[in-house]
C-alpha cells in the first residue's frame, strides 16, 4: 500500500511569488491534515479535512494560505503571495476513522515539502 | 488548549545501551491518545508507539516502550538495545479522543554512537 506522498520535495521561491504544494493521502483515508515546522520550532497544525470539507482550519496563519481538497482525494496548499516567514517544512498526514468508536486511527505522515522563500 | 513539552533538545547513547526520552503534557481532557513519532535524517516521519489514555498498561513495540503516568501527565519513551538506525528526531504528540489535530512537542534529537 502506497504511503502519503507530497510534491514537490523542495521548493525555492522569491518573496511575493506563489507556490502550490500537493499531498496525496493513503487511499481510503478520509482525514487529511496539513502541518508546518518552521526552523527550530515545533510542528504546528494548519488544518484538517474530512473528505472534501474543512473540519478545522484554526491553524491557518492568514489569508495568504488556501487549502483545497476537491473530490476528497488529494489536497493542495497554496501560498500567495509568499513571505519570508513562510519558509519551513510542510507536512501532510492522513488517517481513517475507527468504525463505531468515534475516534480516528493513527495519522501517517508524508515526507514533507521544504519551502524556502528568499 | 493542550501543550506538550520535551525538555531534552538533544540526547546521545552508545549502541546497545538504553535511553529514555522525556515528555510531559498538559490537558483538561480525560480521554486522549499519546504518540511518539520518529523522523530520521531522510525526513519521513513514522509512528513509533501509541498509547490510549484509558489503558493503564504501558504500550510496547519491540525495543520501544513507554512509561505512561497519567496523574503526572508524563509519557516517556524508552529505547532498549539502541541501534544506529534509531538516530533521529523524536516527537511526542497528543490527540484528543475524538480525533483531529496532533499537538507536538519541540522534539528531541537522538544520536546513537557506535
Amino acid at each position: 500500500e502506497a504511503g502519503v506522498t507530497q510534491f514537490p520535495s523542495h521548493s525555492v521561491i522569491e518573496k511575493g511569488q506563489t507556490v502550490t504544494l500537493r499531498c496525496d493521502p493513503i487511499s481510503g483515508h478520509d482525514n487529511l491534515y496539513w502541518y508546518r515546522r518552521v526552523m527550530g520550532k515545533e510542528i504546528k497544525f494548519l488544518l484538517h479535512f474530512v473528505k472534501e470539507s474543512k473540519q478545522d482550519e484554526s491553524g491557518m496563519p492568514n489569508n495568504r494560505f488556501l487549502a483545497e481538497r476537491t473530490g476528497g482525494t488529494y489536497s493542495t496548499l497554496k501560498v500567495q503571495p509568499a513571505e519570508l516567514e513562510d519558509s519551513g517544512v510542510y507536512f501532510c498526514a492522513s488517517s481513517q476513522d475507527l468504525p463505531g468508536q468515534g475516534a480516528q486511527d493513527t495519522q501517517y505522515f508524508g515526507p514533507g515539502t521544504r519551502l524556502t522563500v528568499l | 488548549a493542550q501543550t506538550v513539552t520535551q525538555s531534552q533538545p538533544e540526547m546521545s547513547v552508545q549502541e546497545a545501551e538504553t535511553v529514555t526520552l522525556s515528555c510531559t503534557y498538559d490537558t483538561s481532557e480525560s480521554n486522549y491518545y499519546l504518540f511518539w513519532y520518529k523522523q530520521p535524517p531522510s525526513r519521513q516521519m513514522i509512528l513509533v508507539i501509541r498509547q490510549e489514555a484509558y489503558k493503564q498498561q504501558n504500550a510496547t513495540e519491540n525495543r520501544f516502550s513507554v512509561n505512561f503516568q497519567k496523574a503526572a501527565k508524563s509519557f516517556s519513551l524508552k529505547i532498549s538495545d539502541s541501534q544506529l538506525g534509531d538516530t533521529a528526531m523524536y516527537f511526542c504528540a497528543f490527540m484528543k479522543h475524538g480525533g483531529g489535530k496532533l499537538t507536538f512537542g519541540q522534539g528531541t534529537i537522538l544520536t546513537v554512537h557506535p
Side-chain angles (χ1 to χ4, degrees):
Chain A
E1 180 182 286
V4 178
T5 58
Q6 292 185 246
F7 181 83
S9 57
H10 293 85
S11 180
V12 181
I13 62 172
E14 294 190 350
K15 177 183 172 181
Q17 290 185 324
T18 297
V19 63
T20 300
L21 313 181
R22 173 171 169 144
C23 168
D24 286 77
I26 293 172
S27 178
H29 283 194
D30 288 339
N31 297 286
L32 187 149
Y33 304 83
W34 284 99
Y35 296 87
R36 175 174 75 171
R37 186 173 190 223
V38 173
M39 184 62 67
K41 298 192 175 182
E42 66 266 33
I43 300 169
K44 292 279 197 182
F45 166 80
L46 297 178
L47 89 159
H48 170 202
F49 282 102
V50 178
K51 296 184 180 178
E52 68 275 9
S53 300
K54 293 176 184 176
Q55 180 77 13
D56 179 1
E57 52 184 329
S58 61
M60 294 288 265
N62 51 61
N63 59 9
R64 294 186 295 103
F65 288 74
L66 175 65
E68 295 180 325
R69 192 182 182 194
T70 306
T73 54
Y74 71 91
S75 174
T76 58
L77 179 64
K78 180 189 290 188
V79 185
Q80 179 183 29
E83 298 289 344
L84 299 179
E85 63 265 26
D86 299 333
S87 296
V89 180
Y90 289 76
F91 292 101
C92 176
S94 71
S95 71
Q96 57 186 358
D97 289 332
L98 295 173
Q101 297 184 36
Q104 294 170 12
D105 201 357
T106 299
Q107 293 182 27
Y108 295 90
F109 282 77
T113 293
R114 183 174 296 278
L115 175 63
T116 302
V117 183
L118 303 176
Chain B
Q2 285 70 230
T3 60
V4 178
T5 302
Q6 294 177 247
S7 58
Q8 305 154 315
E10 294 186 45
M11 294 279 285
S12 64
V13 64
Q14 292 296 124
E15 199 173 6
E17 294 189 343
T18 296
V19 64
T20 298
L21 307 184
S22 301
C23 173
T24 58
Y25 59 94
D26 191 24
T27 184
S28 58
E29 301 285 330
S30 58
N31 200 8
Y32 46 86
Y33 299 94
L34 294 164
F35 303 85
W36 279 98
Y37 281 90
K38 162 186 175 182
Q39 187 179 24
S42 61
R43 298 193 300 140
Q44 184 89 40
M45 190 150 56
I46 58 175
L47 177 71
V48 174
I49 200 163
R50 165 188 169 124
Q51 174 83 42
E52 287 88 351
Y54 64 87
K55 290 185 177 179
Q56 293 188 350
Q57 186 173 6
N58 289 325
T60 63
E61 284 291 340
N62 301 314
R63 299 182 293 107
F64 299 87
S65 61
V66 298
N67 183 4
F68 174 47
Q69 302 289 329
K70 191 173 184 179
K73 295 180 180 174
S74 171
F75 183 61
S76 61
L77 175 70
K78 185 172 82 171
I79 305 174
S80 304
D81 185 25
S82 296
Q83 300 177 0
L84 297 178
D86 295 333
T87 292
M89 173 82 86
Y90 286 80
F91 293 97
C92 178
F94 172 101
M95 183 176 76
K96 292 194 290 187
H97 173 72
K101 66 181 179 183
L102 289 167
T103 300
F104 285 90
Q106 302 90 330
T108 297
I109 298 173
L110 175 68
T111 303
V112 180
H113 298 284

